[in-house]
C-alpha cells in the first residue's frame, strides 16, 4: 500500500470503517508499532492497559479527548464483585454463582449464561488485583443494598466518584514503563489485512501530528457504546433517541460499527441503562439513594405513579411518561444526611436543585403541584411506610416514614449508556456471526455486548456497566498481552 496523504485518508474514513490492506503488512510505512493497541481511555481501556503492561507487553492507548475518563469519570465508581476479602471481613457470604444468577434474573436470561458466570467469577479477582497490585482500594458499600443484588457486593472508592477512580488508574499507569498514552488522538478506523481479515492496527488522527498508522499485534476496542449517536439510537433504541443523554459525548459507537464491518455479531443492541433521578433542569445526578433511604416520587398532579424502588434504570421511562417528563423527588433530613457522602448529591446542593420545606403543602406550592392531592399522597405513603397499610403501588422497602423538614427536587429521566455491542467470548475476543474469532481483536465495556438483557432499561442490574468495563478490560488486557508476547 502506498501511504496516502492526510486529506485523502480523511475523506476516506468518512466513508469507510475499515482501511483494507492488500499488500504485505511488513512493507507498509507504519508510524507506530506496539504489542497491544487500546482504543479508548475510560475504565475499560485503562484497566486493559494496566493488565497488559503487567504481563510485559508494550501498550499504546489512544484517547479521543484531551483527558481520559469517558463515562467512567461520570460514574459513581460502583463495582460489583462476589467473594471478595472485603465481603468476608464484613461477614457477607456470597458466591460467583449467586451473583451470576442475580444478573440473569434481572436481565431475564438475556445474556450469555457462560460468559455471565465467567465475569462474575472474575469480579473478585479484579477487586483484589486493584487493591494488591495497583494500590487502588475499593471498599464494600454497606450502607444500602441496590435492588436486585441479593447480597451487599458493590465495591466503591471512598468518594464514590468515577473521576477519582480514573485518576488512580492513570497514576498506576505512570508507574508502568511500557504504557504510552496519546490524547486528542481519535482512532478513525481499523486497519485490516484484506486476505485474512486479521486486524493489524488502526488509523489514528493525533492532534498536531496528523494521520498516524499504528501497527499492533493485538487491538482492544474500549471506546464504549453509542449513547451519543442519535442515528444509532433511532435504529436500535428509538424510545431514547430524543431523551437527555447524561453520558460522555465522545461515545458515538464507532467501535461497534468497525466490528460490524468486519462481520462481527452484534448482540443485545436494544439494551441500555437509564436513570430516573436526574435533577432538572440542573442536569446533575440526585442518585437513587434518596429513594433507597426512604424517599418517593410524585408527578405534577401530586400522585405517585409507580413503585419507584423497582430499579432506577427502568424508572427513567416511568418519569419520562409523566407530564413534561418530570417528577418531584420527596425525601427528608435522614435521607439527606445519608446521601451526603455522594459527590453527585453535593453537586445538586451546590447548584440549588434542592428545596427545603416545613410542610408538604409548602413543597406542593413551590413545585406548582395541587396541594390537596400532594397531601393525600404523602399521608398514604406515610401509612405504608409505617406498615399501617399496603402500598397501593406495591412498594415494600421504605425505611420508615418521612419526618419534616422535607426536601423536594424536580427530576427527569435520562439515558446513561448503551449496553449492546460486539459479541465476545470468554477471552474477550470479538466473534463473527459464524462463531469464529476476528483475528487480533478484543472488546470490553460498552463496545462489547453487555449483561443487561436484549432490549430496554429493565435488564440493567446496578453496576453492570463497570462490571463489563473493568472485568472485561482486565481479561482483554491479559489475553491480548499473552497473544502478543507469543508472537514476539
Ligand atoms: C452518571 C453515570 C453514572 C454511572 N455510574 C455507574 C456506577 O456507579 N457503576 C457502574 O457499574 N456503571 C455506572 N455507569 C456506567 C459506566 O460509567 C459505564 O458503563 C462504563 O464507565 C463504561 O466504561 P468504558 O470504558 O466502556 O467507556 P468510557 O468510560 O466511556 O470510555 C470510553 C472512552 O473512549 C473514548 N473514545 C471514544 N471514541 C474513541 C475513538 N474513536 N478513539 C479514541 N478514543 C475514543 C472516549 O472519549 C472515552 O474516554 C454510570 C454512567 C453514568 C453516565
Amino acid at each position: 500500500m502506498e501511504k496516502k496523504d492526510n486529506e485523502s485518508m480523511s475523506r476516506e474514513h468518512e466513508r469507510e470503517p475499515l482501511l483494507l490492506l492488500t499488500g504485505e503488512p511488513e512493507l507498509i510505512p507504519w508510524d507506530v508499532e506496539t504489542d497491544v493497541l487500546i482504543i479508548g481511555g475510560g475504565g475499560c481501556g485503562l484497566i486493559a492497559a494496566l493488565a497488559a503492561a503487567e504481563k510485559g507487553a508494550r501498550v499504546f492507548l489512544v484517547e479521543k479527548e484531551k483527558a481520559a475518563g469517558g463515562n467512567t469519570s461520570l460514574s459513581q465508581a460502583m463495582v460489583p464483585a462476589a467473594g471478595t476479602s472485603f465481603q468476608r471481613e464484613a461477614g457477607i457470604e456470597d458466591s460467583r454463582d449467586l451473583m451470576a444468577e442475580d444478573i440473569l434474573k434481572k436481565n431475564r436470561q438475556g445474556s450469555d449464561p457462560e460468559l455471565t458466570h465467567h465475569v462474575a467469577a472474575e469480579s473478585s479477582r479484579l477487586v483484589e488485583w486493584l487493591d494488591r497490585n495497583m494500590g487502588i482500594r475499593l471498599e464494600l458499600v454497606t450502607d444500602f443494598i441496590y435492588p436486585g443484588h441479593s447480597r451487599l457486593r458493590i465495591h466503591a472508592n471512598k468518594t464514590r466518584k468515577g473521576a477519582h477512580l480514573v485518576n488512580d488508574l492513570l497514576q498506576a499507569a505512570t508507574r508502568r514503563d511500557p504504557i504510552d498514552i496519546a490524547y486528542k488522538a481519535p482512532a478513525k478506523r481499523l486497519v485490516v489485512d484484506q486476505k485474512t481479515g486479521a486486524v493489524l492496527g488502526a488509523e489514528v488522527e493525533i492532534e498536531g501530528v496528523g494521520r498516524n498508522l499504528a501497527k499492533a499485534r493485538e487491538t482492544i476496542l474500549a471506546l464504549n457504546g453509542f449513547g451519543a449517536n442519535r442515528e444509532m439510537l433511532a435504529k436500535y433504541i428509538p424510545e431514547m433517541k430524543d431523551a437527555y443523554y447524561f453520558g460522555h459525548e465522545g461515545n458515538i459507537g464507532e467501535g461497534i460499527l468497525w466490528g460490524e464491518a468486519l462481520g462481527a455479531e452484534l448482540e443485545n443492541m436494544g439494551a441500555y441503562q437509564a436513570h430516573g433521578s436526574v435533577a432538572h433542569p440542573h442536569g446533575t445526578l440526585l442518585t437513587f439513594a434518596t429513594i433507597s433511604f426512604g424517599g418517593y416520587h410524585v408527578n405534577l398532579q401530586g400522585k405517585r405513579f409507580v413503585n419507584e424502588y423497582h430499579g432506577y434504570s427502568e424508572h427513567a421511562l416511568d418519569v419520562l411518561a409523566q407530564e413534561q417528563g418530570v417528577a418531584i423527588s420527596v425525601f427528608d433530613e435522614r435521607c439527606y444526611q445519608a446521601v451526603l457522602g455522594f459527590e453527585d448529591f453535593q453537586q445538586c446542593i451546590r447548584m440549588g436543585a434542592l428545596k427545603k420545606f416545613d410542610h408538604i403543602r409548602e413543597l406542593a406550592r413551590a413545585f406548582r403541584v395541587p396541594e390537596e392531592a400532594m397531601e393525600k399522597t404523602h399521608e398514604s405513603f406515610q401509612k405504608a411506610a409505617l406498615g399501617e397499610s399496603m402500598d397501593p403501588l406495591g412498594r415494600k422497602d421504605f425505611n420508615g416514614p418521612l419526618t419534616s423538614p422535607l426536601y423536594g427536587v424536580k427530576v427527569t429521566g435520562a439515558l446513561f449508556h448503551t449496553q449492546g455491542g460486539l459479541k465476545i467470548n470468554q477471552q474477550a475476543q470479538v466473534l463473527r456471526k459464524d462463531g469464529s474469532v476476528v483475528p487480533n481483536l478484543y472488546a470490553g465495556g460498552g463496545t462489547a455486548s453487555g449483561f443487561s438483557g436484549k432490549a430496554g432499561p429493565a435488564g440493567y442490574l446496578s453496576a453492570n456497566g463497570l462490571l463489563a468495563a473493568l472485568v472485561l478490560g482486565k481479561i482483554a488486557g491479559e489475553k491480548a498481552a499473552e497473544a502478543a508476547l507469543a508472537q514476539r
Side-chain angles (χ1 to χ4, degrees):
M1 183 198 84
E2 258 181 59
K3 199 162 179 199
K4 298 176 182 173
D5 63 75
N6 277 351
E7 209 184 314
S8 63
M9 279 168 62
S10 173
R11 278 196 308 273
E12 234 176 63
H13 90 78
E14 308 292 343
R15 296 190 304 268
E16 304 296 341
L18 305 175
L19 175 55
L20 296 171
L21 299 185
T22 48
E24 288 302 314
E26 288 71 33
L27 301 177
I28 289 151
W30 299 99
D31 298 297
V32 180
E33 297 198 22
T34 189
D35 290 321
V36 178
L37 171 68
I38 299 173
I39 303 176
C44 179
L46 291 170
I47 292 269
L50 290 167
E54 192 178 50
K55 292 263 173 198
R58 279 175 304 145
V59 176
F60 182 39
L61 186 153
V62 294
E63 164 55 48
K64 184 190 258 182
E65 307 291 338
K66 63 177 182 214
N71 261 17
T72 307
S73 270
L74 302 172
S75 80
Q76 296 176 327
M78 301 273 176
V79 183
T84 66
S85 54
F86 302 100
Q87 286 178 306
R88 282 194 295 279
E89 277 163 28
I92 311 289
E93 266 184 47
D94 197 4
S95 74
R96 51 182 70 172
D97 286 343
L98 192 55
M99 175 168 162
E101 280 156 25
D102 285 348
I103 295 171
L104 289 162
K105 187 174 170 198
K106 187 77 167 72
N107 72 24
R108 296 175 181 224
Q109 314 298 318
S111 58
D112 178 331
E114 281 172 18
L115 187 61
T116 308
H117 277 268
H118 182 57
V119 165
E122 291 294 306
S123 64
S124 60
R125 259 188 73 208
L126 167 85
V127 169
E128 307 287 354
W129 173 81
L130 278 172
D131 186 28
R132 291 195 199 128
N133 297 28
M134 299 297 141
I136 300 173
R137 178 157 287 208
L138 301 180
E139 297 169 348
L140 185 67
V141 175
T142 53
D143 41 4
F144 62 95
I145 191 158
Y146 274 108
H149 283 287
S150 57
R151 295 287 185 278
L152 285 171
R153 66 166 71 100
I154 300 289
H155 298 68
N157 55 14
K158 266 203 169 25
T159 55
R160 299 175 184 191
K161 196 72 202 150
H164 296 158
L165 174 62
V166 167
N167 278 344
D168 288 345
L169 292 170
L170 283 169
Q171 283 292 320
T174 57
R175 295 194 288 270
R176 308 242 155 217
D177 275 347
I179 299 180
D180 291 310
I181 303 183
Y183 295 103
K184 294 192 190 176
K188 292 296 182 183
R189 54 185 174 163
L190 295 178
V191 181
V192 176
D193 184 330
Q194 189 163 30
K195 267 194 298 198
T196 62
V199 175
L200 303 175
E203 186 190 318
V204 182
E205 187 176 276
I206 305 181
E207 194 175 288
V209 176
R211 294 273 158 167
N212 198 289
L213 279 187
K215 183 183 187 205
R217 292 191 162 99
E218 308 294 328
T219 297
I220 300 175
L221 301 178
L223 55 164
N224 209 331
F226 54 95
N229 183 329
R230 296 282 159 191
E231 226 173 273
M232 285 179 82
L233 286 176
K235 181 169 174 186
Y236 295 111
I237 311 180
E239 72 269 28
M240 293 307 268
K241 78 176 191 328
D242 298 319
Y244 176 40
Y245 171 55
F246 201 79
H248 178 60
E249 285 302 329
N251 298 333
I252 57 172
E254 293 151 300
I256 296 172
L257 297 175
W258 300 334
E260 187 180 27
L262 275 166
E265 181 164 359
L266 305 191
E267 197 179 59
N268 297 341
M269 290 296 283
Y272 60 97
Q273 188 223 327
H275 208 295
S277 289
V278 173
H280 181 74
H282 309 81
T284 48
L285 182 61
L286 182 61
T287 85
F288 179 73
T290 53
I291 299 290
S292 50
F293 281 112
Y296 65 88
H297 280 178
V298 289
N299 59 20
L300 293 179
Q301 286 76 47
K303 295 193 172 136
R304 283 178 62 226
F305 44 92
V306 74
N307 167 10
E308 46 290 268
Y309 201 84
H310 65 151
Y312 56 72
S313 182
E314 50 270 57
H315 192 53
L317 287 185
D318 305 327
V319 173
L320 288 170
Q322 305 308 305
E323 187 187 329
Q324 295 180 30
V326 297
I328 313 300
S329 184
V330 181
F331 51 93
D332 67 0
E333 189 65 32
R334 185 196 40 176
C335 303
Y336 178 101
Q337 291 300 335
V339 188
L340 208 48
F342 285 77
E343 232 183 84
D344 288 318
F345 186 71
Q346 290 179 13
Q347 201 183 347
C348 287
I349 299 171
R350 286 197 296 275
M351 292 184 74
L354 274 71
K355 294 185 170 64
K356 193 173 179 180
F357 308 94
D358 287 330
H359 197 275
I360 193 69
R361 275 185 175 263
E362 282 172 36
L363 183 148
R365 270 199 297 280
F367 289 101
R368 297 172 193 276
V369 169
E371 288 178 41
E372 216 167 298
M374 185 74 232
E375 195 164 45
K376 238 170 125 183
T377 299
H378 190 66
E379 278 168 14
S380 145
F381 179 85
Q382 296 287 69
K383 273 192 185 156
L386 278 163
E388 291 173 0
S389 65
M390 294 282 282
D391 179 46
L393 295 167
R395 180 163 165 178
K396 295 198 173 76
D397 305 88
F398 287 97
N399 208 18
L402 301 179
T403 48
S404 292
L406 297 168
Y407 291 88
V409 181
K410 190 183 273 187
V411 294
T412 189
L415 172 65
F416 272 28
H417 59 113
T418 55
Q419 282 279 290
L422 305 175
K423 188 171 172 62
I424 54 166
N425 63 15
Q426 291 188 17
Q427 285 77 47
Q429 291 171 295
V430 174
L431 297 176
R432 298 194 186 101
K433 290 186 186 117
D434 63 5
S436 63
V437 158
V438 176
N440 312 342
L441 191 64
Y442 301 74
T447 313
S449 171
F451 303 95
S452 304
K454 302 205 177 306
Y460 185 84
L461 181 66
S462 178
N464 269 1
L466 286 177
L467 175 75
L470 306 193
V471 176
L472 291 177
K474 181 163 180 290
I475 295 172
E478 286 170 352
K479 297 298 169 193
E482 283 164 11
L485 294 179
Q487 295 167 46
R488 270 195 191 164

